[in-house]
Every structure is written in structure tokens, then in C-alpha cells.
Amino acid sequence: MSFRVLGVSAHFHDSAAALVQDGQIRAAAQEERFSRRKGDARWPAAAIASCLAHLPAGERPDRVAYYEDPGHKIRRILDTARGLAPSGALQWPRMMHSLHTLAEDLPGQLTALAGAAERVVLVPHHRSHAASAFYPSPCETAAVLVLDGVGEAASTTLWHGSRDTGLTALAETRFPHSLGLFYSAFTQYCGFKVNSGEYKLMGLAPFGTPSWAGRILDQLIDLREDGSFALDMRYFDFDRRQSGTSPLFEAFFGQPQRHPDEPITPFHMNVAASVQAVLEAAVVRLGRTALARTGARALCLAGGVALNCLANRRLRLDLPELETLWIQPAAGDAGGALGAALEVSEAAARAEGRVAPAGDRMQHALLGPGFSAAAIRAALQAAGLVFVEQTDPAAYADQVAAALAEGQVVGHFDGRMEFGPRALGNRSILADPRGQETLQRVNRSIKFREDWRPFAPIVLAARAAEIFEPPVDSPYMLLVADLRPEFRGATDLGAARAQGLSTPMELQGAIGSAFDAVTHVDFSARLQTIDPGDGRRAGAILQAFEARTGCPMLLNTSFNVRGEPIVCRPKDAIDCFLNTGLDLLAIGPFLVHRAAQGEWVESRVGRARFAAD
């Protein structure tokens, strides 16, 4: 008899749903992709519906698993407020709203979904994260680290994962001491949005030098050799009000918090580099301790901090005893929905004496909805677009590769949508990675984002080691790799600074490489490797591009514009095509060339660009 579990995460950020059947992941999706509201925290009705569409009509899952224990979370919120009172009063209205949602709204939502209260299972937040990291991994046994902001009370946890016995908790650090909230405080201070701008802070770090790292370690965080840590809470305010930093934080640095519209200066670059260096040191020490305590040679990661690609690289480089590093692609709270479902499914299987074999069960993270050719055709016709159909896969890949080789920028929409924050080829914007012009054009007229931010490369797995230094095995775009010296330009960051260049755009423009559009100022790249043999069309396009140009790499960025989620449905992709400077929309079996459309398309792009500015 099949056993089906629906996992749900909701009401804080990145709401999502996931369906697991007999240990196999059937579907997973974030609510933001359907609502078009980035980081949507609301009850994930559309994501749930997309997952339940994989069940026979009218059938319910056997269990509904929620990704944390709301009772424990309520107690932590109340205990924190009581311990700090009367400070923190500005948080009380927001706190009361959260408490009402957890105590009044959530139980009814879960029971209605499950059909009966006894079919609802509450899985603690960090256990959900740990399950999302270990159970889909290829590891028989592993150390598991969960690093995030905060769940019910824990912020950092260490586990031992075994196929035979499941997950055993070994250690934890509790709120308010949190690496995730520590990093988010610096994100806020440097003028980026918390819970979405942390990757910008990570991207800014290579522009600077870690000149503040020593002082941060001396005064802001007590980081011990085993990776345990404590924050000096005089500098942080996330436990008292809706701010990561206290006035003392600004006094420590001698400058006020940067406003998002203000210029980024060398000071901000150095602050970013410093907090990144401290975070990497903490993660490496925690990783070393995790391996030592479990005796494992494999490490699995989840939690929002696990999306920090620079820290992940440090684990691979600094821990020679580490043989396997596996990171949940949806490492943030969205992945908690999947982890909750997996935890319940795996526990049921072990109770029956069944153990699932090890192997990467994430299916390239292509777990979201897909759309038929008929549905895509209808959407194209409704938009009034001129398109051609190409049903020969080889010819299709070659035609897209030809457009890319001519310098065109392509919106690629194929198969099932990715689960997690990375576009891995199925909802991607693709371009030739060679040349600063590509970087500037995609940033300015397609993504409408900051000029200094580089893009990621998608590389043929068999060729990656020829171009990048190890580690290069990165199928989920969760590691950074350095470009080999022979592909680097003559000017490095030190030389650029010596020339008096100081802004991110000046530095980015001065430092060239053979692959300008996808390498950063330190000649690094957030790498995704792909094997054309796995049947994904993005791999076939890349292979055809290599055949035409000799370049085994493409620029790959998420199919969306700044401030919007990655596209989900055909209409989303069409709207993005119409409102940006994309040259070609490759969607399902259809090709939509901008040059074949009427003037109304160009005028619409102009209006969109004006609005973005």
C-alpha cells in the first residue's frame, strides 16, 4: 500500500509544499512562483494544489507534515518577549500577529488539508532541515549540519544521519545566537534586504579585504575552535525589534547604515569581505567538529546559510578528511516542507523494516510543475506572438545554439520548474559568457539589476576541470570555483585598486578574463555543471553551442527580472520576454524570435525599462 506525505512550510518566509510517496519525491514548489510575490510567506495554497495534482483526483495524502512545531515556537517568542520586557515593545504588535497565525489559523489549515487532526504531523524545524539534507543525499551515513536564522529555538544543529537509524541529534546552538541572523545583520547594515539580499553581500565580499574581521571576532562574536559561538547581543537587535543591528553596531563601525540608494564604497566592500571571512571560519570549524564527532567522511548541509557558496567552497578546500559534501538545493525554509515530508516517510519505512537505497533523489531539483505543448501554444496565441514549432530535439538545440553564438540572449523554458532559489537550466536566461558587453546588457536591459553583479556559468561537466580549479563537481550551483590562470586577464584586483579604481563597476570592468560575463573580480564563478547525457535540453543546447564555438560554457541566470520570482507558467515567461530585451524565447517546442514580432513588442520593452529605472 502506497504511503503519501505532503510537507508544508508556511507563515514566515518562502512558503512551499512537497509530496513524497514511498520515499520518492514526486513534487515540490514554492508559493512565490504562483503568486508572483517574492518570498511569499502565506499559506501555500497554489503550491499545495500543484503537488496534489500528482495524486489521483479527489484523494488525500496519508499524512500532512508541517515543518516545525508551532507550540514550541510560541513558547520561544513569549519567553523572549517576557525576558526582555519592557524593551522590545515595538515588536509586540507583529509578535501578536504571528502568535495568532500559529495558534488560531494554522491548526485549522493543516486539519482541513489532512482531513483529520490525527493525520497531521509536526516535525521540528531543524529536524525538517536535517531530513531535507540527508535523506535525498547519496550518503549511507553522514554528519549533518543545519545553519540558519532560527527555527523554534535552535539556530545551529549537528546530527548524525544513518540509513538504518535515521537522524540522531548531537548538539545545538539556540536563539538569539545565530550565524544566519549574524550575517543578516551585516546584510542590513550594507543596505541590502534581509532574507533576500544575503547573496548580494556574498557577491560584494570579493571586492573588499577582510580588514574588520579581527575586530568582529574580538567584539561581536565569540567563535571557538570547535565552531561553537556566542554573539555579543549589545550589538544586535533582532530579539528586541525589527532590526538586525543596534545603535552600538553603527558606533562600532563609525558609519551609519547604508541606504539602498546610496553608493557602495570600499568601506562597504571591506565590511562584506570581513563578515564573509568570519562566517567561513565558523562554518569550517563546525564542519571539522561534525566530522570528528560522527566519524563520518560525508557532510550534508541545509538551512539558509548553506546557500553561501563561498563558505561551501572553504569546506571542500580546508577539510581534507571530507570526502563527500552534499547540500540541499532548496536549503532555506522552502526545503523544510520537503524535509518534513521525508522525515515522516522515512520513519514509516523504517518501522516496516524498509530502508531506501542511497542515491541523489533530488532529480536535478526539477520537481515543480511542467506544461504541455498545447498549454504553451495557447499562451503564445493569447499573447498575440509569432512563433515557430520545432519538434526535432537536435535541430531545436542547434537553432538555439546558433542564436547564442550570434550574441543573442535567450529565455529558456522547458520541462519541470526547479525547486529552490537556483535556476538550473529549465527556467533560465542563457547567453554567451564571453565579453563584458554581455554582462552589462543582461544586467541593464534584461534583469534590470546592479551593474557590478556577475552571472553564473553552466558548464559541460566533462570539460569543467579544464577551465576551473577544483572543486568543480557542482550540479546544483552551490559551490564557487576559481578560473584557471591561463584564462585570467593581466589585471587583478590589487592592480585595479592601484590604478585608483574604487567602485564595484570600475573594478568589475577593469578585471577581464576569457569568460568576462560569468567570472567575478577574484576570477571565481558560482559554477553549475551539467551532463548532456541526462536528457535535459539545456545540456543539449550547451553541447550544440560548444560544437559551434568551441566554448563549453554558457551564462546561466534565473528567468526573471529583479524583484520578481523565477517564472513558473508559460504566461510568466511570455510576460518576461515582452517586458525585457530578450532576443529569443525558447519555450516548450516553440521558438519566439523578437525580430519576428511587431513594433508593439519593442515599445513595451521601452516602457518596462523606463519603469525599472
Side-chain angles (χ1 to χ4, degrees):
M1 185 68 178
S2 183
F3 186 70
R4 301 164 300 193
V5 185
L6 181 73
V8 177
S9 64
H11 295 313
F12 291 96
H13 55 87
D14 298 322
S15 293
L19 179 67
V20 173
Q21 181 172 352
D22 297 329
Q24 298 304 310
I25 305 168
R26 297 287 306 280
Q30 294 125 282
E31 184 69 8
E32 67 166 20
R33 307 293 170 83
F34 304 93
S35 67
R36 311 308 302 154
R37 180 175 172 175
K38 194 167 184 179
D40 199 341
R42 296 171 297 177
W43 179 252
I48 289 168
S50 76
C51 290
L52 294 183
H54 292 263
L55 296 180
E59 291 195 12
R60 294 182 186 271
D62 298 285
R63 296 289 185 274
V64 171
Y66 187 63
Y67 81 131
E68 61 185 17
D69 186 325
H72 289 173
K73 188 149 200 163
I74 288 171
R75 284 192 289 277
R76 189 262 296 172
I77 292 172
L78 290 174
D79 288 345
T80 299
R82 186 164 47 244
L84 293 171
S87 72
L90 293 176
Q91 283 276 64
W92 291 350
R94 182 168 172 265
M95 177 188 75
M96 293 307 295
H97 175 75
S98 295
L99 294 178
H100 182 274
T101 298
L102 291 172
E104 301 295 332
D105 298 342
L106 180 62
Q109 291 168 330
L110 292 171
T111 300
L113 182 58
E118 59 268 22
R119 296 170 68 173
V120 175
V121 183
L122 304 176
V123 181
H125 187 98
H126 270 237
R127 182 171 285 274
S128 293
H129 273 315
S132 79
F134 177 65
Y135 292 125
S137 80
C139 308
E140 290 287 351
T141 183
V144 182
L145 273 176
V146 178
L147 314 167
D148 69 356
V150 61
E152 294 89 352
S155 68
T156 300
T157 52
L158 166 60
W159 308 74
H160 180 246
S162 164
R163 294 287 165 188
D164 295 325
T165 59
L167 289 160
T168 302
L170 299 178
E172 73 172 20
T173 300
R174 298 172 71 86
F175 178 87
H177 306 287
S178 162
L179 288 178
L181 295 175
F182 169 76
Y183 200 80
S184 291
F186 284 83
T187 299
Q188 174 190 317
Y189 180 69
C190 287
F192 305 124
K193 187 176 180 181
V194 171
N195 285 334
S196 65
E198 284 79 3
Y199 62 94
K200 295 184 183 181
L201 187 71
M202 181 182 70
L204 186 62
F207 286 99
T209 57
S211 54
W212 289 89
R215 286 192 61 196
I216 291 171
L217 286 166
D218 285 342
Q219 293 181 242
L220 271 61
I221 181 172
D222 176 18
L223 177 62
R224 298 147 200 150
E225 279 304 312
D226 65 354
S228 60
F229 61 92
L231 305 184
D232 186 333
M233 292 306 298
R234 294 176 299 170
Y235 294 93
F236 303 94
D237 250 4
F238 45 74
D239 57 341
R240 294 178 178 84
R241 61 192 180 99
Q242 200 169 351
S243 173
T245 63
S246 75
L248 196 59
F249 191 98
E250 293 187 350
F252 174 83
F253 285 106
Q255 287 196 28
Q257 178 176 308
R258 173 181 167 266
H259 188 276
D261 294 331
E262 291 176 342
I264 294 173
T265 68
F267 167 78
H268 300 111
M269 301 176 201
N270 292 343
V271 169
S274 299
V275 69
Q276 180 64 39
V278 172
L279 179 75
E280 290 177 21
V283 171
V284 168
R285 293 181 193 185
L286 284 166
R288 183 178 293 115
T289 296
L291 296 177
R293 287 198 59 175
T294 60
R297 296 303 221 189
L299 178 63
C300 299
L301 298 181
V305 177
L307 294 171
N308 192 295
C309 304
L310 295 173
N312 296 341
R313 173 177 63 171
R314 286 259 62 89
L315 285 168
R316 291 291 301 268
L317 294 176
D318 291 0
L319 299 181
E321 66 271 36
L322 178 61
E323 295 177 358
T324 301
L325 176 65
W326 197 90
I327 306 154
Q328 167 54 237
D333 272 13
L338 175 59
L342 285 167
E343 175 65 18
V344 174
S345 178
E346 293 288 330
R350 285 195 304 275
E352 296 177 0
R354 293 185 288 110
V355 177
D360 187 338
R361 285 191 265 168
M362 283 301 294
Q363 303 163 52
H364 311 297
L366 304 178
L367 300 168
F371 298 87
S372 68
I376 296 171
R377 181 191 295 274
L380 292 170
Q381 291 172 336
L385 292 172
V386 177
F387 57 91
V388 295
E389 184 172 8
Q390 176 54 264
T391 57
D392 182 320
Y396 191 106
D398 189 62
Q399 288 174 34
V400 174
L404 291 163
E406 292 170 3
Q408 295 188 33
V409 182
V410 177
H412 184 241
F413 183 107
D414 181 54
R416 297 182 68 175
M417 179 181 68
E418 296 91 339
F419 180 53
R422 309 286 188 237
L424 301 173
N426 279 22
R427 301 289 187 275
S428 288
I429 291 172
L430 305 174
D432 191 325
R434 301 166 296 179
Q436 284 276 345
E437 304 82 16
T438 303
L439 173 68
Q440 294 171 10
R441 183 186 167 205
V442 178
N443 266 331
R444 292 175 181 175
S445 66
I446 295 171
K447 298 285 284 190
F448 305 125
R449 67 178 204 173
E450 299 92 340
D451 283 340
W452 55 269
R453 289 171 55 194
F455 293 102
I458 182 170
V459 189
L460 292 175
R463 298 286 307 279
E466 301 172 19
I467 301 170
F468 294 95
E469 296 178 342
V472 295
D473 182 19
S474 183
Y476 293 112
M477 202 188 288
L478 291 167
L479 290 174
V480 165
D482 289 330
L483 196 65
R484 287 193 174 278
E486 58 265 36
F487 299 107
R488 302 178 186 183
T491 302
D492 63 14
L493 193 56
R497 289 197 191 104
Q499 296 170 20
L501 304 179
S502 61
T503 71
M505 190 56 199
E506 289 173 341
L507 294 168
Q508 184 76 44
I511 298 171
S513 77
F515 308 102
D516 275 329
V518 295
T519 50
H520 211 355
V521 290
D522 58 351
F523 301 112
S524 68
R526 192 182 68 199
L527 192 63
Q528 181 198 353
T529 50
I530 190 168
D531 181 358
D534 64 25
R536 284 180 283 173
R537 190 167 72 189
I541 291 170
L542 178 52
Q543 194 170 40
F545 181 77
E546 183 198 27
R548 282 181 169 271
T549 66
C551 177
M553 183 189 313
L554 285 169
L555 177 154
N556 173 27
T557 187
S558 54
F559 197 163
N560 65 323
V561 297
R562 180 183 181 185
E564 289 189 356
I566 296 173
V567 300
C568 172
R569 297 162 292 207
K571 183 182 183 303
D572 305 328
I574 292 167
D575 287 345
C576 193
F577 172 72
L578 290 174
N579 291 315
T580 66
L582 286 170
D583 300 299
L584 173 64
L585 174 60
I587 181 167
F590 307 105
L591 297 169
V592 187
H593 294 271
R594 180 169 299 280
Q597 313 307 314
E599 292 184 2
W600 66 276
V601 171
E602 285 305 316
S603 65
R604 182 162 173 171
V605 173
R607 290 196 300 274
R609 187 178 296 120
F610 177 80
D613 293 339

